[in-house]
Amino acid sequence: MSDVTNASLLEIVALNPSLLRMSTPRDMAFDLHIPVGTRDVFAARIKDIPEEKRASWRFHVVRDGESLDGIATALHSRPREISEANGIIAGET
């Protein structure tokens, strides 16, 4: 959730000490605590992530000079998967 709220992972962990696996439980309700002032950003970004993919989905804001290959490496993914998930056609960027 740190990438969805623009908070650091340490902040999310501090707010949710019972999350031992860095993931909310799938089989029960859980009150996720997020940093003050991030509710609107969280709500806007989380609604676009399919529920069945929320455990593995990553949110990334592309910075000037980043390449698809570099982003894929950083996210432990493949460029093709990122381009498909984002509707990007090779050579568009």
Side-chain angles (χ1 to χ4, degrees):
M1 292 296 118
S2 65
D3 53 349
V4 179
T5 61
N6 289 331
S8 72
L9 182 58
L10 291 175
E11 246 182 310
I12 299 297
V13 169
L15 291 169
N16 299 279
S18 63
L19 284 180
L20 302 178
R21 295 193 176 132
M22 303 300 144
S23 180
T24 56
R26 290 183 186 203
D27 57 350
M28 61 186 272
F30 183 83
D31 289 328
L32 179 67
H33 299 275
I34 58 175
V36 173
T38 63
R39 184 184 64 177
D40 292 340
V41 170
F42 174 84
R45 290 179 174 170
I46 201 76
K47 74 174 175 59
D48 293 330
I49 302 172
E51 194 167 328
E52 69 277 3
K53 294 184 177 186
R54 288 183 181 168
S56 62
W57 196 273
R58 297 295 172 259
F59 186 86
H60 179 80
V61 176
V62 179
R63 293 177 184 89
D64 214 17
E66 286 186 306
S67 70
L68 187 56
D69 288 335
I71 294 167
T73 299
L75 297 177
H76 306 286
S77 185
R78 294 180 185 97
R80 179 184 49 76
E81 293 170 334
I82 294 173
S83 63
E84 287 174 3
N86 290 282
I88 301 169
I89 298 170
E92 254 189 2
T93 58

